[in-house]
Amino acid sequence: MASSQSTAIRRLMTEYKELTLHAPEGITAGPLSEDNYLVWEALICGPEDTPLEGGVFTAILTFPRDYPLSPPQMRFTTPLYHPNIYPDGRVCISILHAPGEDPNMYESSSERWSPVQSVEKILLSVVSMLAEPNDESPANVDAAKLFRTDRKAYEERVRKNAQESLGL
Amino acid sequence: MSIFSVAFLLIALVAAYKLIFSGPASNRPPSSRTPALRPVPRAKIDAVASMFPDLARDAIEYDLARSGSVERTVDNIINGRLQSPPPTFQSSSSSSSSSSSSGPSRSSNSTPTPPPTLALLQTANKEELDAIVDNPPPRVWTDTPESRAKNLRDRKLLMIEQARRKFAQKSAES
């Protein structure tokens, strides 16, 4: 148990260093405090050419003690109206599910969590999820419905999220 | 049977009795097992609540009152050990006639909280923000946790402040 925890922390430290030096454009992430490597905050810029462009969205990632065997959980702390984000901010994408625990029964195991994935890959997946919602397995049914039936109203609402995220 | 074996038997019986009947805390005075509940500083509750905004503050406060440390409480939450406060628990906020939410569920706080980006911005003054935008923090891995934390904070501030300025510029143009 103690050794699996130090594995998690060693791995998270390596990832933190890597992200500090080479994080993809528009992403900043690291532990909220180095006293606890299992809780991170990530800042993600709204992807360009989407209604989220211009916003900066914050999320908390909580890692299990057996990371990287099990995936972290991710929850946006700025409001985001999006088909794949639960109203309470929890993110629902396949890379955050270990193979075998597939609530939607459609994800291929290649895009699931495995120890070769990383925080960086999760955040990149989230960026593309933000840019291209998947309305087949909605976490927010209302958002998925609006996305499908009235794209203009959906984009209007999402643009507001981008503005709110900056406190403007 | 010697007096010693009788005494031993008695002790064993008492121990067994205690083992069997000590189960749920409800049938014993709480003071005998529950550690004393400490008063919890607001800042500690805020710190945990900012990481887990969907948890009821009562539940967070109750755990902090027992653990005494933000880190231990975060551990408890991550490992699913957060317990609902008992009905007898007096949270610091319950006296102000707020909703008494039961269990770790989303708190029904009606006042919208400012986004975390703003909270971060408020830790810096204007001069500091200007300096960060003019002189972007370098991407370096430094030796101490303190300097790494400062670098991370500055890079977050840069992202937010740049986005805000771009936004202001755009809305001024349109």
Side-chain angles (χ1 to χ4, degrees):
Chain A
M1 160 119 183
S3 79
S4 79
Q5 191 182 344
S6 62
T7 306
I9 286 165
R10 226 175 309 133
R11 161 82 181 242
L12 285 167
M13 200 159 177
T14 312
E15 291 199 43
Y16 178 31
K17 182 173 178 182
E18 184 57 30
L19 280 167
T20 299
L21 297 172
H22 312 290
E25 193 56 33
I27 289 175
T28 304
L32 265 183
S33 151
E34 285 197 44
D35 295 339
N36 182 359
Y37 256 95
L38 298 178
V39 181
W40 283 36
E41 185 178 55
L43 269 63
I44 298 177
C45 282
E48 280 175 27
D49 302 319
T50 75
L52 287 171
E53 180 174 358
V56 176
F57 303 91
T58 55
I60 296 286
L61 290 120
T62 44
F63 296 86
R65 282 169 185 281
D66 64 352
Y67 182 82
L69 287 178
S70 308
Q73 290 188 351
M74 183 167 173
R75 184 190 304 272
F76 276 100
T77 44
T78 36
L80 257 176
Y81 189 71
H82 189 286
N84 307 113
I85 300 174
Y86 287 97
D88 69 358
R90 264 178 307 135
V91 176
C92 179
I93 51 171
S94 53
I95 196 175
L96 292 176
H97 299 300
E101 45 156 294
D102 183 353
N104 305 312
M105 298 304 289
Y106 75 100
E107 298 159 351
S108 78
S109 62
S110 63
E111 48 195 10
R112 305 278 193 76
W113 177 258
S114 83
V116 303
Q117 308 281 25
S118 62
V119 179
E120 178 177 336
K121 287 194 184 139
I122 291 172
L123 296 176
L124 288 172
S125 298
V126 168
V127 171
S128 49
M129 177 269 280
L130 290 177
E132 289 165 31
N134 170 2
D135 62 351
E136 273 169 40
S137 61
N140 182 337
V141 180
D142 280 356
K145 226 183 256 171
L146 197 63
F147 177 76
R148 217 174 306 161
T149 57
D150 190 346
R151 191 62 63 91
K152 228 177 159 181
Y154 169 82
E155 292 187 348
E156 203 43 51
R157 175 123 193 216
V158 169
R159 212 163 286 140
K160 234 176 245 159
N161 281 159
Q163 186 170 352
E164 284 164 2
S165 75
L166 299 174
L168 295 167
Chain B
M1 223 197 276
S2 76
I3 184 105
F4 293 111
S5 55
V6 170
F8 178 77
L9 206 70
L10 264 175
I11 291 169
L13 270 175
V14 168
Y17 178 86
K18 277 202 164 166
L19 261 178
I20 292 165
F21 291 98
S22 65
S26 54
N27 54 20
R28 300 164 53 212
S31 58
S32 63
R33 198 184 68 181
T34 350
L37 293 180
R38 291 158 264 216
V40 183
R42 219 192 139 84
K44 280 191 176 178
I45 309 175
D46 289 342
V48 179
S50 71
M51 298 180 216
F52 305 97
D54 61 317
L55 292 180
R57 287 181 71 89
D58 284 3
I60 293 172
E61 184 175 345
Y62 178 60
D63 198 88
L64 281 170
R66 298 194 309 163
S67 74
S69 113
V70 168
E71 199 181 332
R72 267 195 294 264
T73 288
V74 167
D75 269 1
N76 287 344
I77 295 170
I78 293 172
N79 294 298
R81 289 195 301 258
L82 191 70
Q83 294 171 15
S84 309
T88 49
F89 178 64
Q90 283 285 321
S91 79
S92 57
S93 58
S94 62
S95 52
S96 61
S97 79
S98 67
S99 64
S100 60
S101 51
S102 59
S105 56
R106 180 172 265 280
S107 62
S108 53
N109 224 337
S110 54
T111 47
T113 45
T117 47
L118 265 198
L120 204 64
L121 269 188
Q122 279 155 4
T123 64
N125 61 28
K126 185 153 186 336
E127 287 77 41
E128 196 181 358
L129 286 176
D130 285 343
I132 288 173
V133 171
D134 295 339
N135 263 317
R139 290 190 156 198
V140 287
W141 181 256
T142 49
D143 288 339
T144 65
E146 292 75 29
S147 60
R148 291 196 288 264
K150 164 103 171 66
N151 179 263
L152 179 61
R153 166 185 174 269
D154 289 355
R155 284 184 293 121
K156 286 179 182 173
L157 284 172
L158 176 69
M159 237 170 115
I160 300 166
E161 185 59 17
Q162 275 181 337
R164 281 171 66 97
R165 292 185 182 190
K166 224 185 228 171
F167 201 96
Q169 202 181 346
K170 240 186 204 163
S171 49
E173 281 167 6
S174 61

